[in-house]
Amino acid sequence: MGSNTSRKTKTRAWFAVYFVVVLSPLLFPPFLKSLNRVEPFIGPFPFIIFVMLLVSMLVSAGLFVLYKIEEKRGDLL
């Protein structure tokens, strides 16, 4: 018997990998410790604030893209 994974399951699995990669700097203490600094300033923000803003935007963009993909395919329900 072959594995019968649906298109919806494959899409969600890829997005799960994306979210783990995007959130890993904030979830694992060694990464966060290396990012937790003020210098260099990026725009008006300290480095750690910029990293959190960037991660938040990437998570929001990923959720939006996932919603649009599932809406187009009719997989929302």
Side-chain angles (χ1 to χ4, degrees), residues 15-48:
F15 272 96
V17 170
Y18 169 77
F19 288 125
V20 166
V21 169
V22 167
L23 290 172
S24 65
L26 301 181
L27 295 178
F28 298 114
F31 293 138
L32 185 59
K33 189 174 181 179
S34 67
L35 294 174
N36 192 10
R37 59 180 184 222
V38 175
E39 297 288 334
F41 279 88
I42 300 176
F45 302 115
F47 186 72
I48 187 64

Side-chain angles (χ1 to χ4, degrees), residues 18-19 21-26 35 42 45-63:
Y18 169 77
F19 288 125
V21 169
V22 167
L23 290 172
S24 65
L26 301 181
L35 294 174
I42 300 176
F45 302 115
F47 186 72
I48 187 64
I49 300 297
F50 175 76
V51 168
M52 289 187 180
L53 180 66
L54 181 65
V55 167
S56 299
M57 289 172 47
L58 288 173
V59 167
S60 297
L63 288 172

